[in-house]
Amino acid sequence: DRFVEVAHEALIRGWPKLRLWIDSDRQSLLVNRRLSDASVEWDDSARNDSYLYVGVRLAEAEEWSLTHADVLNPLEQEFLRESIELRNKKTAAELRQKQFRRSAFLAMAGGAFAAFLAIFAFVCFFHSQQARKESQVLSLAFASRNQLKVNNDRALLLAVEAGRAVEAMEDRRFVVDEVDKALRSVLLWQGDTLHILSGHTNSVSFATWNSEGTRILSASYDGTARVWDAENGKELICLTGHTAAVYHAAWNRAETRIVTASWDSTARIWDAENGKELVCLTGHAGRVDNAAWNEAGTRIVTASDDRTARVWDAENGKELACLTGHTVGIWQAAWNRAGTRIVTASRDNTARIWDAENGKELACLTGHNDWVTQAAWNRAGTRIVTASCDGTVRV
């Protein structure tokens, strides 16, 4: 095992991570020591329930045990198990008592003693059955929430099983909240980092998923774009060739090709399977900030700091149209679904619509009083939404 030997106490003050390790370990040891002492006292008291953990102390020990189960001795395990079982029984009993008092009051209010006895007998029988079901549901809900940080899949299965058990109950008023909390906790759980995709040697400017969620494409200031396995975080392909930062990257719809936009004034098309460079799109006189495929994967539009956007043939790299009219650099360009129109977003505070075939400007969208950073079409191609540094979004 790795360990740290402190040569001087100044190291603790000057090494925040070491101090965090020490504080974390100290808290863990404190919980363990309390649990050990409490389990011995419980055993010495002939295992009297009054010595079991309750409330905050139980919650703390229960959470700690999820990651330290291997250090618990048999007595400590039994002590914690009995404490949890007692809590579940008490919770179920409290719920039953509330319902019992309500039912008894209603019966007494009728004034008929015989009817009250009959109702009372029925309520007692009902509660015995209800108590068993409630205890089962609560155990599933509590187990789900306890598994959340350990095994998310198991937590989800337990929460779903609790939900099914609740659905089978006639009276679910007193347990439905706990089941709802368990389900919400699982569904809203953000979890921990699954993979760290390391390999870039400078800032990463952009990352995107493929359509199936099995691959990730990233672009970096180190001059490369990379493709990663989303399951294990392994680097699959490194696209090298640009001589300056790669600011943006995108798959075509079939995900057989990748286009990259770079500050070396070029965009490049790559084979998505082997990373081979296929075409270099040259012609811009400034950095290229964005590149986008049309729906068919036959055309690419690039947006540049040289105040132009350009349309290219994706097969041979030939420039087909140059969209001129913006007075400052262009952040982004996007096709409509039909591939007949292009919208551009610029630092001249406007967005503009262009004919994708001949490059003619069709409309200038004015109103923003700061840079327009993004523009996007709706699915029908009848509306455009723009985002700006002026703090507004406009349609």
Side-chain angles (χ1 to χ4, degrees), residues 70-298:
D70 56 326
V71 302
L72 292 175
N73 61 39
L75 177 60
E76 292 166 350
Q77 292 177 4
E78 190 173 1
F79 172 78
L80 192 55
R81 185 168 56 250
E82 291 294 326
S83 296
I84 293 171
E85 185 175 342
L86 179 63
R87 177 198 58 196
N88 291 347
K89 287 180 179 178
K90 285 184 175 180
T91 302
E94 289 172 358
L95 295 174
R96 290 198 309 272
Q97 188 63 26
K98 288 180 180 178
Q99 190 174 17
F100 176 80
R101 285 198 297 266
R102 181 177 298 179
S103 299
F105 174 78
L106 292 174
M108 291 180 67
F113 185 69
F116 168 74
L117 290 179
I119 293 172
F120 181 79
F122 171 77
V123 167
C124 288
F125 172 76
F126 174 80
H127 281 310
S128 67
Q129 299 298 314
Q130 184 76 1
R132 181 179 59 80
K133 295 176 182 178
E134 288 172 351
S135 179
Q136 179 187 14
V137 169
L138 289 173
S139 294
L140 288 169
F142 287 138
S144 171
R145 294 170 70 181
N146 288 338
Q147 284 291 317
L148 197 55
K149 295 182 180 180
V150 180
N151 188 322
N152 191 260
D153 290 338
R154 187 179 300 161
L156 177 59
L157 290 174
L158 288 167
V160 169
E161 189 61 29
R164 288 174 177 168
V166 165
E167 286 298 318
M169 295 174 62
E170 293 182 5
D171 187 349
R172 63 192 70 155
R173 292 172 295 169
F174 301 112
V175 293
V176 70
D177 285 345
E178 289 299 330
V179 175
D180 183 63
K181 288 178 184 177
L183 285 168
R184 286 177 180 272
S185 296
V186 174
L187 296 176
L188 297 177
W189 174 246
Q190 296 180 353
D192 300 319
T193 300
L194 297 178
H195 303 294
I196 297 177
L197 311 182
S198 57
H200 285 295
T201 58
N202 206 331
S203 301
V204 177
S205 55
F206 181 82
T208 185
W209 295 86
N210 70 345
S211 61
E212 294 181 352
T214 57
R215 298 288 184 270
I216 293 170
L217 173 63
S218 60
S220 169
Y221 283 82
D222 67 6
T224 71
R226 304 185 189 221
V227 179
W228 313 80
D229 188 308
E231 290 299 313
N232 55 33
K234 181 180 178 182
E235 180 182 317
L236 301 176
I237 302 172
C238 182
L239 310 180
T240 58
H242 284 292
T243 58
V246 179
Y247 197 68
H248 184 80
W251 272 292
N252 65 349
R253 184 175 179 81
E255 295 176 355
T256 57
R257 298 288 185 267
I258 293 170
V259 63
T260 52
S262 171
W263 287 1
D264 65 5
S265 303
T266 72
R268 303 187 188 216
I269 301 172
W270 315 77
D271 187 304
E273 289 300 315
N274 56 34
K276 180 182 177 181
E277 182 180 323
L278 302 176
V279 182
C280 182
L281 311 180
T282 59
H284 282 294
R287 72 188 192 197
V288 181
D289 288 325
N290 183 262
W293 297 86
N294 67 349
E295 190 80 8
T298 58

Side-chain angles (χ1 to χ4, degrees), residues 7 39 168 331 393:
S39 63
W331 276 119
V393 174

Side-chain angles (χ1 to χ4, degrees), residues 1-76:
D1 294 335
R2 290 180 294 178
F3 63 91
V4 174
E5 181 176 346
V6 180
H8 194 279
E9 65 177 11
L11 282 175
I12 300 176
R13 297 191 300 271
W15 189 357
K17 192 165 187 177
L18 175 59
R19 189 164 64 248
L20 178 63
W21 289 341
I22 293 172
D23 292 343
S24 177
D25 193 50
R26 182 184 295 118
Q27 180 63 25
S28 177
L29 289 173
L30 181 60
V31 174
N32 189 11
R33 187 176 298 113
R34 286 174 177 169
L35 179 60
S36 179
D37 292 343
S39 63
V40 171
E41 290 180 5
W42 172 67
D43 194 49
D44 291 342
S45 70
R47 306 201 168 190
N48 191 310
D49 285 352
S50 63
Y51 284 82
L52 292 172
Y53 269 176
V54 295
V56 175
R57 187 60 56 85
L58 174 57
E60 180 184 53
E62 193 174 7
E63 181 177 359
W64 175 86
S65 69
L66 295 176
T67 53
H68 298 79
D70 56 326
V71 302
L72 292 175
N73 61 39
L75 177 60
E76 292 166 350

